[in-house]
Amino acid sequence: MQKLLKSLGPVCAVIGAQWGDEGKGKVIDLLSEHYGVIARACGGANAGHTIVVGGQKHIFHLLPSGALHPHATVVIGSGLVLHLPTLLEEIRTLQAAGIDVLPRLYISTEAHIVFEFHKQIDIALEKQRQEREGKGIGTTKRGIGPAYMDKAARSGTRMECLKGDLRPILTAHAERVQRLYDVAVDVDAELKSLSSAQQLLSGHIVDTVTLLYEHLIQKKNVLIEGAQASLLDLDHGTYPYVTSSQTTSAGALQGLGLPPRALTSCIGVAKAYCTRVGEGDFATEVRGEQGDRLRERGGEYGSTTGRPRRCGWLSIPDLKRAAMINGFTHWNITKLDVLDEEEEIPVCAGIGADGKPEWKNLPGWRTSTVGVTEFSKLPQEAQEYIRFIEKETGVPATLIGTGPGREQMTIQ
Ligand code: GDP
Ligand code: IMO
Ligand code: MG
């Protein structure tokens, strides 16, 4: 671990390389012990980051996954859109488990609020896409797109407004939302749903840009938690089947107001295979018995919506592109154990002139890797599988996940 920490340096970002759910939460939790500040940079409660400690599962949607560590300062940055009842529920769940995150929680004045009406617009827009185009995007229905639409249209409401009177703001939203989307806003219900948040969180809404800057001056190290993933990025992902925020390392820095030169490392997180939730292209998807096997072995059901995840094989071109865009310095290849029973593992090594995957079959290992913590103790074929990824992408696979638990990881 000491060697890894040295190579990561003081400011490390953890970024998904595929379509999300790669296991970002687990590596954030593992590293958090060694970082003074853990900062979520973007997205909203569409994220679901799972941590398993001592057999107990915690799912974070808005709080950074490092929140379990009592020493850590926890920052929610400017790039987020926040559904406050969800945030309060997470804070309370942790309190019930004996962890009080509130005294060390700082939320950006610049983050935007997700109101209930944003969720209703999300549902209405998905329904319209279904009716007009035959399919929707398959959003999480958490109001993410509409909240970022309001932000970009300069009609959004930022967290700083929580400290004042929200009634006139909501009344103006009600008129606009009715006119534009034919969605009725219940101003009183919205206000009621926000009253506890106003009481509990108002004192925690600060200028997180200055806070992070001061931490860096004091030589405190910062761990940046990305959400969603590179192929869901609004600019670089599989548009239009993407989320509405920037999910890359550059997006994370922008979301926190950190200058690009502050970043000292970037861990790309990728499953040893691949999954996707929602609609959109997935060239290496496998359906039928093989896909079902990956889903069952990997427990591939959404942490946020419970939807079965589409499953498929690893795509080297996607990993290369994600490494290119994000500047990955390390890989965390996760869920290697899920492939333990495969006889042969197909990998998309390139894309042919016909736009279809060029497959390469790598030998499986048919031995359990569950809980292995040393790379040299992995079966030969598993080591070769990892070496293949390293060689093709030019990024070292420093961390390999061998189970959902905090300790189930090899670090080289
Ligand atoms: P995130 O959104 O990137 O944080 O990932 P999710 O939490 O949505 O999904 C990852 C799932 O895989 C969670 O259920 C984790 O507990 C689990 N997981 C993470 N790493 C491993 C691993 O190495 N092996 C196995 N079997 N499960 C893992
Ligand atoms: P984490 O951080 C997986 C997907 C949705 C949908 C698309 C747009 O846990 O990896 P949205 O609600 O954002 O407008 O939906 O993006 N999506 C995710 N898929 N993991 C996530 O987050 C996701 N966040 C959004 O399924 O296809
Ligand atoms: Mg997830």
Side-chain angles (χ1 to χ4, degrees):
M1 179 59 92
Q2 286 313 317
K3 189 175 142 214
L4 169 64
L5 292 172
K6 204 165 165 222
S7 73
L8 293 178
V11 184
C12 171
V14 173
I15 302 290
Q18 296 160 321
W19 280 289
D21 305 326
E22 296 91 348
K24 298 174 289 294
K26 177 182 154 177
V27 65
I28 290 276
D29 170 59
L30 181 73
L31 293 173
S32 289
E33 194 185 331
H34 308 280
Y35 282 79
V37 182
I38 324 294
R40 242 311 275 276
C42 49
N46 46 352
H49 298 174
T50 314
I51 290 165
V52 180
V53 187
Q56 211 194 329
K57 200 174 186 178
H58 304 264
I59 301 180
F60 293 101
H61 300 288
L62 289 169
L63 279 177
S65 309
L68 288 183
H69 295 269
H71 75 280
T73 297
V74 169
V75 172
I76 292 182
S78 312
L80 277 98
V81 290
L82 295 171
H83 183 251
L84 295 169
T86 303
L87 180 59
L88 283 191
E89 200 182 308
E90 280 181 37
I91 293 169
R92 288 189 180 124
T93 306
L94 277 188
Q95 267 167 353
I99 300 159
D100 194 5
V101 73
L102 208 47
R104 52 197 170 88
L105 175 67
Y106 300 91
I107 306 168
S108 170
T109 50
E110 297 172 340
H112 279 243
I113 298 176
V114 175
F115 293 108
E116 299 305 320
F117 69 75
H118 286 122
K119 290 195 202 174
Q120 289 167 39
I121 299 171
D122 199 352
I123 292 166
L125 292 178
E126 277 288 84
K127 193 162 161 256
Q128 282 178 20
R129 288 184 197 109
Q130 285 281 358
E131 284 165 6
R132 291 187 191 152
E133 294 148 40
K135 70 174 176 185
I137 286 168
T139 74
T140 58
K141 301 199 170 81
R142 295 296 186 272
I144 306 300
Y148 280 116
M149 279 156 59
D150 273 356
K151 174 176 168 174
R154 290 149 296 176
S155 308
T157 301
R158 308 213 293 189
M159 280 300 285
E160 59 200 349
C161 299
L162 200 72
K163 296 178 181 181
D165 184 4
L166 284 171
R167 184 175 286 280
I169 294 174
L170 274 160
T171 307
H173 278 311
E175 184 280 320
R176 184 180 59 89
V177 166
Q178 180 74 57
R179 177 166 41 84
L180 292 178
Y181 306 105
D182 196 21
V183 165
V185 177
D186 185 338
V187 172
D188 287 325
E190 293 272 9
L191 284 168
K192 194 160 169 247
S193 82
L194 288 168
S195 63
S196 316
Q198 282 188 295
Q199 276 170 27
L200 270 171
L201 300 180
S202 288
H204 298 267
I205 302 168
V206 301
D207 171 10
T208 52
V209 173
T210 304
L211 181 131
L212 285 172
Y213 179 77
E214 281 167 358
H215 278 305
L216 287 179
I217 299 262
Q218 290 161 22
K219 304 258 180 272
K220 274 199 194 173
N221 50 13
V222 179
L223 185 61
I224 302 173
E225 176 165 344
Q228 288 72 55
S230 305
L231 296 174
L232 288 172
D233 182 78
L234 183 57
D235 292 309
H236 304 295
T238 46
Y239 193 89
Y241 299 98
V242 293
T243 191
S244 297
S245 60
Q246 274 74 24
T247 61
T248 58
S249 53
L253 290 165
Q254 169 70 7
L256 290 170
L258 282 170
R261 68 183 156 76
L263 197 66
T264 51
S265 59
C266 183
I267 301 177
V269 189
K271 281 179 199 179
Y273 51 102
C274 194
T275 62
R276 172 164 210 176
V277 205
E279 296 294 336
D281 261 10
F282 183 176
T284 61
E285 181 170 16
V286 278
R287 292 168 205 257
E289 190 265 326
Q290 264 186 335
D292 292 346
R293 193 167 66 234
L294 285 175
R295 185 173 309 104
E296 290 318 310
R297 280 194 57 86
E300 298 296 357
Y301 295 88
S303 325
T304 298
T305 58
R307 289 179 290 177
R309 295 175 182 148
R310 298 158 64 192
C311 295
W313 303 114
L314 196 67
S315 165
I316 294 289
D318 285 348
L319 295 196
K320 277 187 183 165
R321 193 169 171 81
M324 205 190 290
I325 290 167
N326 293 290
F328 292 148
T329 54
H330 304 68
W331 280 120
N332 172 202
I333 302 297
T334 65
K335 306 187 96 163
L336 187 70
D337 54 298
V338 174
L339 300 179
D340 280 353
E341 284 174 16
E342 300 299 320
E343 213 155 312
E344 266 198 331
I345 308 167
V347 173
C348 168
I351 298 291
D354 59 357
K356 298 233 168 82
E358 288 169 343
W359 294 101
K360 185 175 165 72
N361 284 327
L362 296 178
W365 41 92
R366 308 207 76 190
T367 321
S368 173
T369 61
V370 175
V372 173
T373 53
E374 279 176 50
F375 187 79
S376 61
K377 300 229 165 105
L378 289 172
Q380 200 56 40
E381 293 83 354
Q383 293 190 22
E384 278 161 22
Y385 189 75
I386 298 294
R387 293 293 178 224
F388 177 75
I389 298 172
E390 289 186 321
K391 189 170 131 289
E392 292 292 315
T393 59
V395 177
T398 316
L399 300 122
I400 318 284
T402 56
R406 190 186 268 175
E407 300 76 17
Q408 295 175 307
M409 184 90 90
T410 77
I411 304 176
Q412 349 170 33

